[in-house]
Structure formats: structure tokens, C-alpha cells
Amino acid sequence: MLITASRIHNGYQWLPPGTVIEVADDGSIIALHSEDAPLADVVHYDGILSPGFVNAHCHLELSHMKDLVGEGTGLMHFLQQVIWKRESFTIEQKITARHEAYDELLENGVVAVGDIANSADTLDIRALDRLHIHTFVECLGFTEERAQQMLDFSEKVYLQYTAQQSGDKILRQSIVPHAPYSVSPSLFRLIDAYDKDALISIHNEETIEELNFYKDKSGAVNDLLHSLNIDAAFFEPSGKSPLQTYLPYFSPSHPFIFVHNTFATAEDLQFAQDNFPAVYWCLCPNANKYIEGRLPDMDMLLQHAKNICIGTDSLTSNHQLCILSELYTIRAQYSGLEWGLLLRWATSSGAAALQMQDKIGSIEPGKQPGIVQITGLDDNNIRPTPKRIM
Ligand SMILES: [Zn+2]
């Protein structure tokens, strides 16, 4: 099949006008042809063609909590609500919600997801075999004495995912820390040692409270821990940023995805990039707006971040699971950003962050990236919409 469009983004950049994509029935890219190649029966699409999107940070298992926590209440209140309410649903409600969320990702042109899991609930949607999935089994426990127990619990979940057979799509998993204020130093070290090459994802510097806690142990993190009956007496504030405190617990062999980064600084980015070979900064702007009402410092990120990718976070903190909507939110605030760059973050960069770049993320011969048609991107008056065509 031969297809073209007014503009084609290959995952890295815009292709020359008139480029034609030759694609097999199974979605594999066979070749790219220039405008002057003698070709017949080329199908022309309106708008833009792009590789399928990569959602580098999602929580499909929390899909049943949509609209349950109000907007703008701050991360600490948000987390309390999630912890208290996540189990007040029936198994059927949870199953229905995560299947609907899975379908929503597909409809919105997502081909791969980095999905956080605290339980084995999402084994069922991984078995559907329509999305590539890296499941990040999230380990948390702000305790020094019970750190090994916390890791043991996560390992039990992890082994259930490991035992699942892959079909046509990629299925992978790793054990990862939740966030700097929910993982003790001992637990950070145990997570590192469990698999020193594992892809690590962590909620990083999402709220100013996290920074206050590491600076001088002040602020609302104490209230959260207190409400959960967690004794934080062992914790000595480092006086440094969270990232610069916890990263030294990790071996330099880990690839990293830092998620949110709302309060990350240029020094944090430099520190991570100087000490680890593969570092990705994942932005979830709609969730940041929903929870904290604030976006990360894009000027700083553009200047210092080597790699940026995009996530939606969960339906608990977002009205939809749509990567294009995340790009739209960034651009609404930073109108100077080129769509070409934004699409790169959403495709090839996300694929590399999840270590799936050999298969997806770019329109190149031999890959099977999925192809998405985007209309409305050049019209400031309408919201662009994605549609999976392949
Ligand atoms: Zn998250």
C-alpha cells in the first residue's frame, strides 16, 4: 500500500513534501519514496501522518478513579484520596474501567505505554496484545526496617508479569521506586540491587513539598506520612534536591525516566545526565495542571534536557488518555514550540525511553510504528485530533 499526506513526520523531523510511504498489510514500513518516483494508486490523507504515539507514563490500573479527586488540590491531598479510595470499587468496575482506558489509548493513536502497576491487575489488558507495554512495578515504603518486605511484595507482583508470555507486542517489566518521599534510602538501594540494568521510572520533583522535605524536613509531606501512620523519625534531610539525594543510591547502568519534573532545576538535569548514560524527562502536563496547577519550566528543559518524552499519567489526574492533548497543552502555554519537536517527543523519543526504538517510534523501513493521521494541527481555532489509520 502506498500512502501520503500534506505533511509527514517520521518521528524525528518533517519529511520532504510529497514523500510516499510504502507499507505492508501488517503495518511494516517497506520503503519511503520521493515525490518524483513513478508510483500509481497512492492514497492521500488530509493533514499530517505521524508514527504512533508513545505514552511513557500511565497508570491503567487506576482508571476506575476518574473524576474522583477534584482538581487543584495539590499532590499530597491527591495521594491521600487515591490511597483511601482506590479499593472502594468492585472488581468488575475496575476491569471495565481499565479496558475502556486501554481502548481510549488505541483510539488516540497510542502504540506503546509505560504503565505503572502496584498490583497484578493489568495482566488482563497486557494479554490483549494490541499495545506494546513496559509495566513499571512500583515499589514504595518509607521505612528502613521493613524495606526488604516492601521489595519482596513488589517482587511477587513482578514475577507474575515476568511469567506472562509475549504475543505479537512487546511485554516487559521492571521494579521501580514510586517517589522520593515514599521510598526510604534502604529501599532505594534494594531496588537498585534487584536488577542493576533495569529501566527505572520515578515520579520526580512533582511538588514543592517534596523539595521542602529533602531540604529541611518541613512541609506537607510530613502531614501525608502522619496520616498514613508512617514514622519518619529515621529520615535525615540532605539539604540537597530530592534527585541529587536519591540518584547516588543507583548504579550508573540504569536507564532512567524521570516523570513530571515540575520543580526540577537545571542542576538536577545536569546531575542526572552527567552520571547516567540514558536519561529521559517525561512530561505529563495535563496531570500537572490537574493536580498542582503548574507546568514544568519549559525554557529550562529546552535548554538542558537531552531527551524529553510524554505521558498522560492516570485517568485519576487527567480527563483523557491522549498524547496529542498533552502536546496541545504544552503548546498552549509555550506557543513558540514547533509541532515538529513536540511530535518527536511523542514518538521516537518515547520509543527510545521505553527501549522500543527498534520496532516503533519512527517511520523507517523495517519498523512497525503504527501510523496516525492528525487533522487540525495547523488551525489555531480547532483542537487537533488523532486517528490511527494503520
Ligand atoms: Zn504517575
Side-chain angles (χ1 to χ4, degrees):
M1 187 180 185
L2 297 165
I3 58 174
T4 190
S6 309
R7 283 202 288 170
I8 299 173
H9 194 283
N10 71 352
Y12 305 105
Q13 70 228 350
W14 299 111
L15 292 175
T19 298
V20 173
I21 307 167
E22 185 176 353
V23 55
D25 289 343
D26 70 352
S28 302
I29 307 298
I30 298 168
L32 296 175
H33 302 281
S34 64
E35 187 179 25
D36 46 15
L39 299 168
D41 300 327
V42 178
V43 179
H44 190 282
Y45 285 89
D46 288 337
I48 288 162
L49 294 182
S50 150
F53 296 130
V54 176
N55 184 347
H57 182 75
C58 192
H59 301 244
L60 284 167
E61 71 176 11
L62 296 181
S63 301
H64 57 283
M65 295 178 68
K66 191 175 183 186
D67 299 326
L68 208 70
V69 185
E71 290 189 47
T73 58
L75 182 64
M76 294 302 136
H77 175 265
F78 177 86
L79 290 171
Q80 272 178 345
Q81 297 296 309
V82 170
I83 293 163
W84 288 340
K85 293 178 178 172
R86 67 180 291 165
E87 295 310 325
S88 56
F89 290 82
T90 64
I91 290 172
E92 287 71 29
Q93 283 173 317
K94 291 183 187 177
I95 292 172
T96 302
R98 66 176 171 266
H99 279 76
E100 285 175 3
Y102 185 93
D103 289 343
E104 186 180 338
L105 286 173
L106 288 166
E107 277 164 29
N108 288 328
V110 170
V111 296
V113 58
D115 193 36
I116 304 285
N118 297 106
S119 70
D121 286 358
T122 49
L123 282 166
D124 58 357
I125 49 176
R126 281 171 39 124
L128 297 173
D129 202 28
R130 297 183 68 197
L131 286 170
H132 304 288
I133 300 181
H134 187 116
T135 299
F136 294 110
V137 177
E138 192 169 74
C139 188
L140 69 169
F142 204 65
T143 166
E144 289 289 88
E145 306 94 65
R146 295 177 61 240
Q148 186 64 50
Q149 273 172 268
M150 297 307 184
L151 185 78
D152 291 348
F153 176 82
S154 294
E155 185 190 30
K156 284 201 185 88
V157 175
Y158 169 78
L159 292 176
Q160 292 180 70
Y161 286 111
T162 310
Q164 191 172 32
Q165 292 283 323
S166 282
D168 185 40
K169 305 297 183 198
I170 300 166
L171 291 181
R172 296 192 192 125
Q173 48 282 319
S174 50
I175 297 179
V176 303
H178 167 250
Y181 52 83
S182 60
V183 175
S184 67
S186 294
L187 188 51
F188 269 122
R189 290 192 182 96
L190 288 172
I191 293 168
D192 165 58
Y194 188 76
D195 177 354
K196 287 181 183 290
D197 296 317
L199 174 58
I200 300 290
S201 162
I202 180 168
H203 294 86
N204 180 61
E205 301 176 332
E206 187 177 355
T207 166
I208 190 71
E209 301 299 347
E210 192 179 316
L211 278 72
N212 290 336
F213 191 65
Y214 270 75
K215 193 168 138 219
D216 55 15
K217 208 176 174 179
S218 66
V221 168
N222 292 290
D223 304 334
L224 175 72
L225 296 173
H226 185 69
S227 74
L228 300 172
N229 286 323
I230 293 169
D231 180 3
F234 71 88
F235 180 74
E236 298 283 343
S238 63
K240 294 190 262 186
S241 77
L243 179 146
Q244 293 181 48
T245 309
Y246 70 72
L247 261 193
Y249 299 136
F250 285 95
S251 309
S253 43
H254 289 289
F256 260 90
I257 301 176
F258 298 96
V259 182
H260 292 305
N261 311 302
T262 322
F263 292 86
T265 63
E267 292 73 37
D268 289 333
L269 269 65
Q270 211 59 53
F271 186 84
Q273 291 170 172
D274 285 349
N275 290 292
F276 291 83
V279 169
Y280 288 80
W281 305 95
C282 180
L283 309 182
C284 307
N286 285 337
N288 300 150
K289 273 178 74 178
Y290 193 112
I291 299 173
E292 289 272 336
R294 171 177 164 145
L295 295 189
D297 180 348
M298 286 307 306
D299 292 324
M300 184 281 289
L301 284 162
L302 284 168
Q303 203 181 336
H304 297 283
K306 276 191 187 164
N307 305 297
I308 292 176
C309 57
I310 304 292
T312 58
D313 220 343
S314 73
L315 278 176
T316 320
S317 60
N318 206 333
H319 298 293
Q320 66 280 307
L321 301 180
C322 176
I323 291 296
L324 190 58
S325 174
E326 303 293 329
L327 301 183
Y328 188 86
T329 296
I330 295 173
R331 201 160 179 280
Q333 199 116 339
Y334 296 89
S335 56
L337 277 173
E338 293 290 332
W339 277 111
L341 179 62
L342 292 164
L343 287 172
R344 187 197 307 170
W345 296 350
T347 57
S348 63
S349 186
L354 294 182
Q355 303 182 321
M356 297 180 185
Q357 69 275 18
D358 291 345
K359 185 138 187 164
I360 58 164
S362 58
I363 298 175
E364 291 180 278
K367 295 194 185 177
Q368 210 175 2
I371 296 180
V372 175
Q373 178 192 19
I374 306 167
T375 49
L377 205 59
D378 300 313
D379 186 341
N380 287 330
N381 299 314
I382 57 169
R383 206 177 171 87
T385 52
K387 185 179 161 206
R388 180 89 182 265
I389 62 161
M390 198 148 278

